[in-house]
Amino acid sequence: METDTIQDIRGMSEKDIENNIAKIKKTLLDFRIQQATRQSFKPHLVRQYKKQLARIMTIKHEKFPNN
């Protein structure tokens, strides 16, 4: 997982932010599917992806409040 710093996220365009959000949501869905089918996965990554998603969405709402 690539962890972007807050400054990196703030420097992104709205389209880049939307792409990152979609990518993280897809990854979280894949983790849920792996868990449901009892495949092995690293549970600590779920927490990291959720936190990164929250950071990105917070900055998105700060920069683009109407979208």
Side-chain angles (χ1 to χ4, degrees):
M1 174 184 163
E2 59 192 51
T3 56
D4 295 328
T5 62
I6 299 297
Q7 288 77 23
D8 292 341
I9 297 170
R10 288 187 196 279
M12 291 180 182
S13 68
E14 186 174 7
K15 185 176 180 180
D16 292 337
I17 290 174
E18 289 293 333
N19 289 340
N20 275 350
I21 290 172
K23 183 171 58 171
I24 291 173
K25 284 185 176 183
K26 182 180 180 338
T27 303
L28 288 171
L29 174 66
D30 292 340
F31 283 145
R32 285 194 300 273
I33 291 170
Q34 287 177 352
Q35 183 179 19
T37 58
R38 301 209 182 256
Q39 296 176 2
S40 64
F41 71 102
K42 299 178 181 176
H44 69 280
L45 291 179
V46 175
R47 187 175 313 147
Q48 289 178 356
Y49 276 102
K50 283 183 176 182
K51 285 184 179 183
Q52 185 69 12
L53 179 63
R55 284 185 198 107
I56 292 172
M57 291 183 77
T58 299
I59 292 172
K60 177 187 172 206
H61 290 292
E62 287 175 356
K63 285 179 71 173
F64 312 105
N66 295 332
N67 293 337

